[in-house]
């Protein structure tokens, strides 16, 4: 015999005394007093007696509670547990509600091992942090579409093209990461946003460099013996990036070889890929002249703390009315190598710390051409200091 349903009217429920009241079909009202009551669905599934809360009364009305109980009975008839089914739905909803800012941080954490210095410099995450997350960070990734992305990056798409491109690429990685987490996302959203934004007008400009023929005159003008002058001299002589010079520590030098830690070398992600720099006699002289300024082992300390800033060297050149900047001396050196020497391409590129050849080729070729680069460095130093030993580097 079927159990009777809908035993009570709304008025009877409202006026019911404290206790447990069955409406039929497993729906019960547990009433503590006039102000506190809750709906409960009692059922048996897979041989287990269970109770599932359906909400507080009167926030959940009698009609709503009956609808919930009816849905529960339908699940039982289908062989499902209503409690487990509700938990599953909640998990799915939680997955759908993952915010972009959470996914972006998780994606960043999972990729730290691939990044130089475990991404501590912030260059991977900063395009997202500055240009994307302030607007879209609290949006569930499942709701992100190409229009959201277009509207967010449109203000910088042409004016800061390189930054916008990086932000778009990072966002694409985040979307793929979300999909790997099992979230429902539109993996084509970034590609469609690019189509909406159109081709970027901005063209990247190279950092101005001093023609190699003019480097000796500038080098010799750095004659004050100050930390700034000496740092610039060493930067020119070694053709490394300014960070390597600024963070030079005396324990990195052994004999005539300076080993630059991987974290100070752009693009060297492997923790073991430190970079050996051969030091010419002129470079060793500069280092000796700088030692009296050293503090806590740092050869070029800042005025108060830390190390000399990148802007210190740039500002010196700016005050002299020069368009060229410190980083440009790498180009000056490379042009001199190409035009004034017969140095093999791989040796010249390795001298700049560039990766040469594909992954397989590098796996078999372990040399960093240190001996050849030592001769090249000596010839370049002789040239810029006007004590040229030969007209062509012997490598």
């Amino acid at each position: 015999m079927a159990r009777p349903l809908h035993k009570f009217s709304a008025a009877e429920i409202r006026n019911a005394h404290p206790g447990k009241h069955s409406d039929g079909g497993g729906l019960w009202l547990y009433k503590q007093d006039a102000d506190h009551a809750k709906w409960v669905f009692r059922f048996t599934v897979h041989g287990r007696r269970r109770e599932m809360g359906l909400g507080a009364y009167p926030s959940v009305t009698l009609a709503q509670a009956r609808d919930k109980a009816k849905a529960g009975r339908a699940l039982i008839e289908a062989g499902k547990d209503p409690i487990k089914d509700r938990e599953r739905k909640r998990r799915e909803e939680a997955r759908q509600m993952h915010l972009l800012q959470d996914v972006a941080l998780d994606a960043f954490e999972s990729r730290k091992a691939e990044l130089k210095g475990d991404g501590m410099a912030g260059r991977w995450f900063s395009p997202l942090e500055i240009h994307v997350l302030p607007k879209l960070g609290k949006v569930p990734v499942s709701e992100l579409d190409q229009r959201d992305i277009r509207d967010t990056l449109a203000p910088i798409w042409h004016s800061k093209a390189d930054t916008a491109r990086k932000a778009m690429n990072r966002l694409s990685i985040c979307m793929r990461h979300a999909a790997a987490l099992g979230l429902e996302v539109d993996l084509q959203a970034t590609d469609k946003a690019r189509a909406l934004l159109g081709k970027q007008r901005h063209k990247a400009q190279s950092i101005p460099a001093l023609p190699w023929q003019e480097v000796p005159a500038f080098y010799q003008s750095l004659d004050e013996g100050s930390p700034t002058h000496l740092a610039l001299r060493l930067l020119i002589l070694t053709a490394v990036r300014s960070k390597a010079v600024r963070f030079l520590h005396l324990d990195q030098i052994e004999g005539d070889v300076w080993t630059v830690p991987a974290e100070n070398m752009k693009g060297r992600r492997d923790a073991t890929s430190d970079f050996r720099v051969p030091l010419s006699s002129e470079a060793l002289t500069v280092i000796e002249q700088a030692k009296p300024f050293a503090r806590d082992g740092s050869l070029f300390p800042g005025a108060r703390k830390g190390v000399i800033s990148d802007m210190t060297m740039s500002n010196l050149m700016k005050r002299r009315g020069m368009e060229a900047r410190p980083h440009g001396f790498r180009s000056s050196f490379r042009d001199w190598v190409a035009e004034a020497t017969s140095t093999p391409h791989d040796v010249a590129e390795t001298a700049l710390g560039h990766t040469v050849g594909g992954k397989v080729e590098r796996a078999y070729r372990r040399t960093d051409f240190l001996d050849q680069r030592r001769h090249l460095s000596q010839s370049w130093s002789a040239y810029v200091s006007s004590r040229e030993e030969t007209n062509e580097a012997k490598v």
Side-chain angles (χ1 to χ4, degrees), residues 77-118:
E77 289 178 7
K80 297 180 180 180
D81 185 332
I83 293 178
K84 290 187 177 180
D85 187 75
R86 182 169 66 181
E87 291 173 350
R88 178 185 59 80
K89 289 179 179 177
R90 285 176 176 173
R91 288 194 298 270
E92 290 178 353
E93 290 174 358
R95 285 202 299 268
Q96 297 306 314
M97 286 303 294
H98 271 315
L99 305 183
L100 176 60
Q101 61 188 14
D102 299 324
V103 172
L105 285 170
D106 195 52
F108 176 49
E109 287 294 328
S110 70
R111 280 158 179 77
K112 276 187 175 181
E114 306 171 16
L115 305 174
K116 182 177 67 175
D118 285 339

Side-chain angles (χ1 to χ4, degrees), residues 189-205:
T190 51
D191 290 335
K192 288 184 278 192
R194 284 190 183 93
L196 292 175
L197 288 163
K199 188 175 181 180
Q200 292 177 312
R201 290 191 299 269
H202 174 78
K203 292 184 179 180
Q205 295 182 346

